[in-house]
C-alpha cells in the first residue's frame, strides 16, 4: 500500500518519524497472541528481518519476553539483514535460534544452473519453497512446538489472500481468522494478517523500532514496496533462464554486490 504521492512511508524516514503520533491500538492483537499461546501451550515466532515479521516479534515479546524467535538461514541473505537481526536481537534480548536450510539456497541455484547465464536451466527434483521454508519450519516445530507466529499479511499478494480465505472456509469458523492449520498438526497465526503496509509502519514508528537499513538501500536502487525484499539476495521464485543476465543489465549494483558476496557467504554462515 502506498502513502500519499505513491511513496511507501516505511521507506521515507522523515515521514516514518512523523507517523509516530498516529493512533494504532494493538491491545486486541496482543490479547489474541496471549490467548493463542495459552491455547497451544506455547508458541514461537518466525523472523526474517523484514518489517512485518519484526513487528510480530515485538508483539510476541511483549506477551512473552522469552518466546523463541527463529530465523531460517538460507545462506544468501543480505549481510545488512544479518547485522540487523544480530543488533536487534541483542537490543531486545531475544531468545533467537537459527535454523539453516538444507541444502542452502546457493547450492540449489548453482545446481540448477541459475547463476550461469550461458547455461540452460536444469530441472531439479527440489521444491524451492519446501527447501527454504517448509522444511526448516518443520524442524523448528519439532523443537519449539506446533504453534508459531508469522508476519504473513493478506494484502501482500493474491496467494496469501487466498490462503487465509480458504483456511477460513475450510474450517468453517473452527479457527479464528488469520490462522493456518495443516494436516501435520502444526498451526501458524498471522496476528497482523489483515493490516495494511501503512499500519505496519505506524506500529513500528510508535514503538521506535528501527527499520532494516536495507529498505533504504533497495529504494535508492529503484525498488518499490513489493520488490524491496530484505531476506535472500536472490528470490528463487522469480528465477528463470536468463534472469541473471537481466539482473546484471538492469540492476548492476545489486548484481555486483551479489557476485562479490557469494564467495564469502558460506564462511559467514
Amino acid at each position: 500500500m502506498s502513502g500519499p504521492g505513491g511513496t511507501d512511508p516505511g521507506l521515507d524516514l522523515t515521514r516514518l518519524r512523523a507517523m509516530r503520533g498516529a493512533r494504532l491500538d494493538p491491545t486486541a492483537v496482543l490479547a489474541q497472541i496471549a490467548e493463542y499461546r495459552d491455547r497451544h501451550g506455547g508458541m514461537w515466532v518466525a523472523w526474517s528481518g523484514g518489517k512485518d515479521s519484526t513487528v510480530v516479534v515485538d508483539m510476541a515479546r511483549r506477551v512473552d519476553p522469552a518466546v523463541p524467535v527463529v530465523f531460517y538461514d538460507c545462506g544468501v541473505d543480505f549481510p545488512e539483514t544479518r547485522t540487523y537481526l544480530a543488533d536487534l536481537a541483542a537490543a531486545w534480548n531475544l531468545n533467537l535460534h537459527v535454523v539453516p536450510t538444507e541444502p542452502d539456497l546457493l547450492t540449489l541455484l548453482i545446481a540448477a544452473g541459475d547463476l550461469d547465464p550461458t547455461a540452460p536451466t536444469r530441472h531439479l527434483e527440489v521444491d524451492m519453497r519446501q527447501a527454504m521454508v517448509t522444511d526448516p519450519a518443520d524442524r523448528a516445530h519439532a523443537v519449539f512446538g506446533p504453534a508459531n507466529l508469522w508476519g504473513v499479511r493478506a494484502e501482500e499478494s493474491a496467494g496469501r489472500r487466498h490462503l487465509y480465505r480458504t483456511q477460513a472456509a475450510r474450517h468453517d469458523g473452527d479457527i479464528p481468522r488469520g490462522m493456518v492449520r495443516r494436516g501435520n498438526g502444526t498451526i501458524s497465526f498471522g496476528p497482523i494478517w489483515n493490516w495494511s503496509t501503512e499500519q505496519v509502519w505506524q506500529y513500528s514508528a510508535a514503538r521506535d523500532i528501527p527499520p532494516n537499513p536495507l529498505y533504504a538501500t533497495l529504494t535508492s536502487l529503484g525498488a518499490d514496496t513489493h520488490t524491496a525484499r530484505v531476506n535472500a539476495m536472490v528470490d528463487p521464485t522469480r528465477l528463470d533462464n536468463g534472469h541473471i543476465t537481466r539482473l546484471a543489465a538492469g540492476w548492476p549494483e545489486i548484481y555486483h554486490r551479489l557476485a562479490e558476496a557469494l564467495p564469502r557467504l558460506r564462511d559467514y554462515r
Side-chain angles (χ1 to χ4, degrees):
M1 177 176 177
S2 298
T7 302
D8 184 338
L11 307 183
D12 182 332
L13 294 184
T14 300
R15 291 187 59 209
L16 179 59
R17 294 187 185 101
M19 291 168 63
R20 285 179 177 159
R23 295 184 59 82
L24 179 64
D25 185 0
T27 303
V29 179
L30 295 175
Q32 285 182 310
I33 292 173
E35 181 183 357
Y36 176 76
R37 176 202 57 188
D38 295 344
R39 183 187 310 122
H40 297 285
M43 64 182 181
W44 56 275
V45 192
W47 190 27
S48 69
K51 63 186 185 304
D52 301 325
S53 63
T54 299
V55 162
V56 174
V57 168
D58 182 62
M59 289 180 167
R61 76 187 184 99
R62 293 174 70 178
V63 172
D64 179 2
V67 63
V69 178
V70 179
F71 170 64
Y72 307 152
D73 180 4
C74 74
V76 290
D77 303 279
F78 282 96
E80 293 92 335
T81 293
R82 290 177 175 273
T83 300
Y84 177 74
L85 292 169
D87 289 349
L88 203 54
W92 287 354
N93 194 28
L94 294 179
N95 180 16
L96 179 62
H97 303 265
V98 177
V99 177
T101 61
E102 298 175 356
D104 61 86
L105 180 55
L106 177 58
T107 297
L108 288 179
L109 295 178
I110 291 173
D114 284 315
L115 295 183
D116 182 356
T118 66
T121 298
R122 295 182 289 275
H123 176 70
L124 297 179
E125 296 299 326
V126 176
D127 183 312
M128 284 287 188
R129 177 169 179 78
Q130 181 77 28
M132 296 298 107
V133 179
T134 306
D135 288 346
D138 285 346
R139 298 205 305 277
H141 279 299
V143 175
F144 301 111
N148 80 297
L149 301 176
W150 62 8
V152 174
R153 291 186 298 116
E155 184 190 71
E156 292 183 293
S157 70
R160 293 182 175 190
R161 287 191 294 274
H162 178 74
L163 172 67
Y164 283 126
R165 186 166 54 247
T166 56
Q167 280 285 314
R170 182 180 303 159
H171 297 288
D172 193 26
D174 184 45
I175 61 174
R177 295 293 299 273
M179 293 190 188
V180 175
R181 180 179 291 170
R182 304 176 188 85
N184 63 2
T186 64
I187 186 167
S188 295
F189 175 37
I192 60 172
W193 71 274
N194 59 347
W195 281 29
S196 67
T197 299
E198 190 165 67
Q199 285 177 302
V200 172
W201 289 119
Q202 284 176 352
Y203 178 92
S204 296
R207 291 282 295 168
D208 286 321
I209 300 174
N212 187 325
L214 188 57
Y215 280 119
T217 300
L218 293 175
T219 301
S220 72
L221 295 173
D224 60 20
T225 302
H226 301 291
T227 57
R229 315 296 291 184
V230 298
N231 45 4
M233 296 176 76
V234 173
D235 185 348
T237 65
R238 292 185 171 91
L239 285 176
D240 56 30
N241 193 28
H243 171 86
I244 298 300
T245 301
R246 294 194 301 275
L247 186 64
W251 294 74
E253 297 91 344
I254 290 182
Y255 174 76
H256 290 303
R257 289 181 63 197
L258 175 62
E260 292 171 359
L262 286 178
R264 68 174 187 270
L265 276 174
R266 276 211 181 96
D267 292 335
Y268 188 85
R269 193 171 190 241

